[in-house]
Amino acid sequence: MATTPADRLDGLTPAGRGATTAETHADDFASKLSREADIVIGVYLILIGTGAILGNGRVLWLSYRCRARLRPVEMFVVSLAVADVGLSLVGHPFAAASSLMGRWSFGSAGCTWYGFVVFFLGIASIASMTLMSIMRFMIVYKRYPGQYPTRRASCVLVTAAWLYGLFWACAPLAGWSQYQPEPYGLSCSVDWGGFSSDAGGSSFIICMLLFCTAVPVVIMVTSYAAIFVIYRQAQKGVVLNLQVNATFGGKRQRTERKLTLIALAVCGGFLLAWLPYAVVGLWASVAGVDAVPLALASAAPLFAKSNSLWNPIIYLGMNERFRSE
């Protein structure tokens, strides 16, 4: 149901934390976009979700077929594919159906469920990529050309990443902030407007941006920058650990570089997709949700959701073993 421009984003900021009533959400659940825009968004989400399920499903199938030859660092690829499939199966259908119907159609409980699932899978993916970048650095700098870290160690790190995402996703359920409709009314997320409404909401937004965005980004950028420096030094014969030797030869070195490029492409694609949404969220938190243009408030999360389709393209396009299978 379309509203006038003056009504856009009105009433989004809650009066307090905790559970919200149907009356509070009555207007927030209505689309603030035109009917044509609603349909376009619904079709877009259907296409993204279908492509992500097919692409990431293919990655998971090939990983299963090659499970005996999977390198421990590739366990993070499997983790990201599982998260993308989960988002496409239990996240996109809610938003797509709501877009086609012109309003969020699953009530407050459905809003909380959708926000929880998307936030949980998103943070688990960020944590997985952060740990993957650290492992790539450790392999290139510390362990190369020795043995890979054990698969058990990789599984422990992947489990830790998912538990990290679960912790942050459960925080709003426990009363530290809450899940609210997005400004355009067709999906739900963490309560960005809570930054200015109460101390709990502001502390959650600050901690989330710090530990779920800033710190992971710094770690990833630092890790890959250090790897780049190491490779440059190796070309000049400075780093002895990276010199081709009789045991492993140049093949291992080329493999390590390809794996690093894949990991870098995955992390870079994720940051490209989600950082605009984080910036828009920060803008809404500091200036208020009314200060964010509606077009930008709707485009940022929609663009972020496309990341689930990028990853299988990267895996299948850059991994020679997957392509040969």
Side-chain angles (χ1 to χ4, degrees), residues 202-272:
S202 60
S203 63
F204 176 80
I205 295 297
I206 292 173
C207 291
M208 181 191 65
L209 289 174
L210 178 62
F211 295 107
C212 299
T213 304
V215 171
V217 168
V218 169
I219 291 176
M220 283 187 274
V221 171
T222 302
S223 297
Y224 290 115
I227 290 173
F228 175 76
V229 171
I230 290 172
Y231 280 139
R232 288 295 300 272
Q233 291 177 335
Q235 292 176 350
K236 301 175 182 179
V238 175
V239 182
L240 297 180
N241 281 344
L242 287 173
Q243 299 309 302
V244 175
N245 57 54
T247 303
F248 294 96
K251 183 177 179 181
R252 170 69 183 271
Q253 194 174 36
R254 289 191 297 270
T255 299
E256 294 298 337
R257 294 194 180 207
K258 289 178 181 178
L259 289 174
T260 300
L261 287 176
I262 292 174
L264 178 60
V266 169
C267 294
F270 189 92
L271 295 179
L272 180 64

Side-chain angles (χ1 to χ4, degrees), residues 58-209:
R58 186 67 172 170
V59 169
L60 292 176
W61 170 243
L62 291 174
S63 298
Y64 175 77
R65 290 183 58 181
C66 303
R67 60 189 181 278
R69 292 178 290 159
L70 278 181
R71 300 178 182 89
V73 73
E74 291 176 326
M75 298 300 295
F76 293 99
V77 172
V78 175
S79 173
L80 293 173
V82 170
D84 289 338
V85 169
L87 179 61
S88 300
L89 287 176
V90 300
H92 291 339
F94 285 85
S98 297
S99 298
L100 295 177
M101 288 186 284
R103 63 180 294 109
W104 179 260
S105 305
F106 303 96
S108 297
C111 182
T112 299
W113 163 253
Y114 177 88
F116 169 82
V117 168
V118 174
F119 191 50
F120 167 47
L121 296 177
I123 299 303
S125 296
I126 292 175
S128 294
M129 285 184 291
T130 303
L131 294 174
M132 180 171 63
S133 66
I134 295 174
M135 179 172 285
R136 290 308 311 157
F137 172 77
M138 295 296 292
I139 289 174
V140 171
Y141 182 67
K142 295 282 188 180
R143 306 295 294 273
Y144 190 96
Q147 297 299 315
Y148 282 107
T150 65
R151 184 173 295 187
R152 180 179 179 183
S154 294
C155 290
V156 170
L157 291 176
V158 168
T159 302
W162 283 77
L163 291 176
Y164 188 76
L166 183 63
F167 166 78
W168 284 100
C170 287
L173 301 180
W176 192 21
S177 187
Q178 61 184 342
Y179 294 108
Q180 283 278 11
E182 298 270 17
Y184 59 101
L186 297 177
S187 65
C188 300
S189 181
V190 295
D191 182 17
W192 294 101
F195 183 84
S196 57
S197 64
D198 58 69
S202 60
S203 63
F204 176 80
I205 295 297
I206 292 173
C207 291
M208 181 191 65
L209 289 174

Side-chain angles (χ1 to χ4, degrees), residues 280-305:
V280 169
L282 179 61
W283 183 1
S285 299
V286 175
V289 292
D290 294 335
V292 182
L294 187 60
L296 187 59
S298 58
L302 292 173
F303 181 63
K305 290 178 174 64

Side-chain angles (χ1 to χ4, degrees), residues 4-83:
T4 63
D7 295 330
R8 292 176 178 176
L9 304 179
D10 286 349
L12 181 61
T13 304
R17 293 184 300 168
T20 53
T21 64
E23 292 78 6
T24 302
H25 281 312
D27 294 332
D28 296 339
F29 285 158
S31 173
K32 312 304 185 298
L33 306 172
S34 67
R35 184 58 184 152
E36 293 77 11
D38 292 343
I39 295 175
V40 169
I41 291 174
V43 173
Y44 166 82
L45 290 174
I46 291 173
L47 294 176
I48 289 294
T50 302
I53 291 173
L54 294 176
N56 288 287
R58 186 67 172 170
V59 169
L60 292 176
W61 170 243
L62 291 174
S63 298
Y64 175 77
R65 290 183 58 181
C66 303
R67 60 189 181 278
R69 292 178 290 159
L70 278 181
R71 300 178 182 89
V73 73
E74 291 176 326
M75 298 300 295
F76 293 99
V77 172
V78 175
S79 173
L80 293 173
V82 170

